[in-house]
Amino acid sequence: MAAPTAQLADPALAAVRARDHAARQADVDRLVAVLDWATQHTTDADPAAMTFGERALTLGGPGCPAIEEFAAYDLAAALGSSTESGLKYLSRALELRHRLPRLWDAVLNGRLPVWKAAKIADATMRLPLDGATHVDARLAQAVSTITYAQLDRLVDEAIARHAPDQATAGRDQRHVRVDLDHATIDGHVRLDALLTVPDALDLEHALQTSAQALADAGCDQFLDVRRSIALGDLARGDQPLDLAGRTLVVHLHQDSPDLGRCETTRSPVTVETIRTWCATAAKVTIGPVIDLEQHVHVEAYEAPDRLREQIELRDLTCVFPHCRRPATRCDLDHITPHDLGGPTSTDNLAPLCRRHHRAKTHSPWTYMMTDPGTYHWTAPSGLTYRRDHHGTTPLDPPPATPPAEPAEP
């Protein structure tokens, strides 16, 4: 009887699997490269020391080395991340390498995907070193099958054993989060909360009562929409349909007739949404048209309100690479310092959040404005970036990929 013919693998699926393997390996290579970088930028400075200049960053859990602050900003930009995201990535890397050695070996051996290792590192950072060691030993043999629920239980066990003082302090997880970073084009945002049962029952009663009052007053929206309106009324201390106190300020621009922008969420909104907001606001202020191309110059160091407002509307956010902090919550920085002759003017002012203002002032980070709203940044490493309304673009070409070795004849 003839042997069965081996079935050839589906070439398309084989290619998918190969690309997936390459992507997983690229994740590991990236993590290793970041840790190689970190060994060159540790510092013995006291993280508790108060200074207006560079500070030592304590990332990861107890036992991880401190990292040079402004160098870490350089790393985040090189990763194509905001400073916050870059520091979080570095924290996870340090946690794995220095406090979870068995799991780190599992990452290097391909048994533990980087994304799952990152989730574990997030959970163990709050543990003392012996608690992290306990979790590392328990997970080492089950990295492929551990669930998040099992991980949470294991971390709770480690806290009870190795940090009992945290066991009670860490249990209260009540919170209210308003997601202003992901507003929809209709001007809606999500809210997530964890309340005590009595507080939740009181809130539910208030929403039910207010939603019914809206319906009795003639509001024909669906119940969920009325509940949402009622929550907004509750936040303002209003009774249903009593809109006293809500003020809307509208700035008019000629270059965007179909869309607007909400300053609070930095997101686009439709003109119809703006009309709805105007109709339900107690007071609407129409701001004067501000010419963002006009050059404004004053002799003083402090920028007057009209100049600050022009800069805020032009740039919208902190202009450091990848930073998205609203310009209204930033310092106005003199690109060329005022004491070196830099004017207080449209072409020499830019919004920088306090963190990145310190980096520009106390480190080799430098930048210049090439056009209104467009900036060229040079990092301490020498890497360069362009920052404009479209985001951040690296100006340094990526390293060339070495040519493949010729196949053997």
Side-chain angles (χ1 to χ4, degrees):
M1 184 175 180
T5 304
Q7 186 177 0
L8 295 177
D10 183 331
L13 287 181
V16 168
R17 185 166 65 175
R19 297 295 185 274
D20 180 68
H21 176 77
R24 287 173 177 260
Q25 186 58 48
D27 287 343
V28 176
D29 293 344
R30 184 188 198 218
L31 197 61
V32 170
V34 165
L35 287 167
D36 287 344
W37 171 92
T39 60
Q40 302 173 35
H41 294 280
T42 59
T43 176
D44 294 327
D46 181 5
M50 298 300 296
T51 174
F52 291 106
E54 185 171 29
R55 303 166 184 172
L57 295 181
T58 53
L59 305 173
C64 291
I67 301 295
E68 298 167 349
E69 179 188 15
F70 298 143
Y73 299 174
D74 203 339
L75 171 71
L79 289 170
S81 304
S82 67
T83 298
E84 290 80 5
S85 295
L87 294 182
K88 180 176 288 188
Y89 183 92
L90 180 56
S91 296
R92 293 164 171 169
L94 293 170
E95 177 78 3
L96 283 167
R97 178 64 184 86
H98 294 278
R99 297 189 356 126
L100 304 170
R102 296 176 180 85
L103 297 181
W104 174 239
D105 285 342
V107 169
L108 295 179
N109 294 334
R111 294 188 297 117
L112 179 62
V114 170
W115 66 266
K116 197 169 188 178
K119 293 287 187 181
I120 296 172
D122 279 339
T124 59
M125 282 185 208
R126 59 194 177 108
L127 294 171
L129 183 57
D130 52 356
T133 301
H134 172 81
V135 173
D136 187 44
R138 291 283 301 274
L139 288 182
Q141 303 303 319
V143 292
S144 300
T145 58
I146 189 72
T147 66
Y148 293 138
Q150 291 170 328
L151 175 61
D152 288 342
R153 289 195 292 270
L154 183 56
V155 171
D156 288 343
E157 176 192 339
I159 290 175
R161 286 189 177 191
H162 302 282
D165 55 320
Q166 293 186 31
T168 54
R171 282 180 181 170
D172 194 342
Q173 298 179 6
R174 286 177 294 175
H175 65 269
V176 177
R177 299 189 184 99
V178 182
D179 189 3
L180 296 175
D181 292 330
H182 298 91
T184 70
I185 197 161
D186 295 321
H188 301 155
V189 299
R190 291 188 178 277
L191 179 147
D192 174 74
L194 184 66
L195 311 176
T196 65
V197 171
D199 288 345
L201 291 173
D202 288 343
L203 178 61
E204 176 61 22
H205 175 73
L207 294 180
Q208 287 182 3
T209 302
S210 297
Q212 184 59 50
L214 285 165
D216 295 342
C219 180
D220 59 358
Q221 297 282 3
F222 290 115
L223 175 60
D224 281 347
V225 176
R226 285 186 279 117
R227 287 171 61 87
S228 175
I229 296 171
L231 186 60
D233 290 339
L234 185 64
R236 291 182 294 275
D238 300 338
Q239 297 298 320
L241 301 183
D242 175 11
L243 301 175
R246 187 202 293 180
T247 300
L248 179 67
V249 179
V250 179
H251 292 282
L252 299 179
H253 299 280
Q254 296 178 343
D255 59 348
S256 183
D258 300 321
L259 285 176
R261 183 178 296 275
C262 178
E263 180 181 288
T264 304
T265 63
R266 311 184 303 282
S267 60
V269 291
T270 64
V271 172
E272 184 58 38
T273 296
I274 296 174
R275 289 195 187 100
T276 301
W277 290 350
C278 289
T280 57
K283 179 181 179 182
V284 178
T285 301
I286 305 298
V289 176
I290 296 178
D291 184 356
L292 302 185
E293 302 295 331
Q294 179 186 11
H295 182 272
V296 180
H297 178 280
V298 297
E299 295 300 327
Y301 173 79
E302 294 291 338
D305 290 344
R306 64 189 177 92
L307 180 53
R308 168 174 277 278
E309 191 169 22
Q310 182 196 44
I311 301 302
E312 291 172 351
L313 290 172
R314 181 193 68 197
D315 293 322
L316 301 177
T317 68
C318 169
V319 300
F320 190 85
H322 301 290
C323 187
R324 305 304 299 170
R325 183 172 293 274
T328 53
R329 302 209 296 266
C330 291
D331 303 329
L332 279 191
D333 176 54
H334 287 74
I335 301 172
T336 298
H338 190 264
D339 58 2
L340 297 180
T344 303
S345 62
T346 300
D347 57 359
N348 193 51
L349 289 176
L352 289 179
C353 68
R354 187 59 54 85
R355 165 186 277 171
H356 296 133
H357 197 174
R358 284 196 308 105
K360 181 261 183 177
T361 303
H362 299 290
S363 82
W365 275 100
T366 61
Y367 73 125
M368 60 184 294
M369 186 189 301
T370 57
D371 288 301
T374 301
Y375 302 89
H376 183 290
W377 280 90
T378 301
S381 62
L383 296 178
T384 55
Y385 304 88
R386 183 178 69 248
R387 173 63 191 263
D388 57 23
H389 290 163
H390 299 291
T392 302
T393 305
L395 297 178
D396 309 275
T401 302
E405 294 292 331
E408 291 291 336

